[in-house]
Amino acid sequence: MRQSSIIDIISPIMVGPSSSHTAGAVRLGLLARHVFNSHIRKIKFRLYNSYATTGKGHGTDKGLLSGILGLGVDDTRIKNIFGSDIAQHIEYSFEYMEDFNRHPNAVDFIIEGKDLKMTISGESIGAGEVVIRKINDFNVKITGHYNTLLILYKDSVGIISTVTTLIQKEHVNIASMSCDRSGKGQIASMCISLDGELNEKIVDVCQYIKHVHLVRYIKKLES
Amino acid sequence: MKYKSISTFADLLGECELQEVTIFDIAQKNEANLDDIKVNEFRKIVKKSLNAMQDAVKSGLKSKEMSLSGMCGDDCSRLKSFYSDSHALFGTIFEKIVTYALAISEENLRMGKIVACPTAGSCAIVPSVLIAVSEEKNISEKSQIDALITAGEIGRIVSNKVSLAGAVAGCQAECGVASAMSAAALTQLLGGTPRQILNAVALALKNLLGLTCDPVCGLVEIPCVKRNAFLAVHAVTACELALANVESKIPVDEVVDAMEQTGKLMSPMLKESSQAGLAKTKTAVRLEKSLRK
Ligand code: SF4
């Protein structure tokens, strides 16, 4: 486990009222924005359990939308985000659900762009810490603590080593890695957390690897 | 001075006494070392938090806008007008501490900008004391940063043993720890020794063991807002006893152990789930129904 530091204790500077329900919601929105990484036309937020029942009073809905629009946790525009100029060009709606199989503070982002659709699921796990757990049907783990390379590809021999070799050549250390696939030879996902910065060129190179469908380089969030 | 990993208060005190320095000296060097930055860069980050706390006081004092739920938001203004014609029994510093505590707490729940310290719900306990006393006694920004680093170091050591989350260990781990951090900051601010600072921490924490988390309607409002004012004053008591060399008979590390155990034994119904305590009183249930509408 990551030990906390003094800075963790006397920060973040954030808009209230709750680190898990407000700041956590903004951070989840920001991560989802980076995962989608394309113009968002329409978005549905599906809030579960405690996020659904106490979300309004904690501004969770405002936080999620603000994150999607790229605002940071300390941005005072969060409070009046609904109906603001920045939210004008996006069609958004909210759904509230109860599901005991899901985390108490869980949310799904159902996003539509010009020719891309994605469902991203995340959880706010306490003290402002968050995790993106699923993208479409794939299990991933994106916390915002590391720069993360996410790749969706058609499962085939050698892809994982091609990617890790590229990273190795850049002298960047891999902090952790997780892979998931729907079945042999079908679509798979690879999620690599990195200790350093990856050259954007490598990200471009990954796009051209045979069988790769989608590449995202998700920068770590400011704490 | 070399980096030395410090995970208990005994380690910290030992190191302070060995090197004849105070807590923030050790803490800032270790932190800078860990993050691979210079001490003055680390202090700049702390200054940013301090300045945001000062801003939160200013905006909180000006507003009486209600929270999203409409349950809280105008108590600071009530207190201000009360103090404008009758003075607090304990004098002006006391007035400022409780007024600032409500100002910051209310600013938090109206979605204003605050500093989670250690959490958003407990965000007023450290800054209200730190800022009120510094203003009244004309204490320099440098000393305030020293005090805030001291508070942070206390929170860090506790958090490596007990998670500072109401859902895990009850409010003793949020507002309780905030009050202990505040007592440490104040003792540093007033020139206490490392031993006195750690005593203040032990005294403050010991007297808040068992504090549950039972927020009404599941929102960080009732009892949280007013609790911030109470526990700010609690910190002052701990500090003054410690400065008088009153010792906590139970050493601070053992108090933290007791807090951890108490948190484990506390029913989940009293840990942020709003299933018992204040959250299930007749009035709370009525409030909850009216909010659902
Ligand atoms: S009662 Fe619970 S929600 Fe309120 S401040 Fe304490 S720990 Fe936070």
Side-chain angles (χ1 to χ4, degrees), chain A residues 29-55:
Chain A
L30 280 167
L31 285 178
R33 170 188 170 90
H34 296 319
V35 170
F36 195 74
N37 195 35
S38 166
H39 176 74
I40 299 177
R41 212 173 47 77
K42 192 171 163 187
I43 182 162
K44 181 154 68 188
F45 301 91
R46 191 174 284 150
L47 285 70
Y48 293 88
N49 306 330
S50 169
Y51 254 27
T53 51
T54 71

Side-chain angles (χ1 to χ4, degrees), chain A residues 3-19 22 53-54 56-59 62 74 76 78-79, chain B residues 27 31 42 45 49 52 65 68 108 110-118 120 153 155-156 159-160 181 218-220:
Chain A
Q3 294 263 305
S4 60
S5 70
I6 291 181
I7 298 298
D8 293 334
I9 302 292
I10 56 172
S11 71
I13 301 171
M14 56 173 272
V15 301
S18 159
S19 29
T22 323
T53 51
T54 71
K56 276 214 182 81
H58 283 133
K62 297 178 177 176
D74 64 342
T76 45
I78 294 173
K79 184 174 169 177
Chain B
E31 282 276 318
F42 167 72
I45 306 177
S49 281
E65 184 188 325
L68 296 171
N108 178 48
R110 62 173 76 97
M111 296 191 82
K113 210 196 275 193
I114 53 94
V115 183
C117 184
E153 177 70 350
R156 181 190 73 82
S159 78
N160 285 334
M181 287 166 58
L219 299 176
V220 195

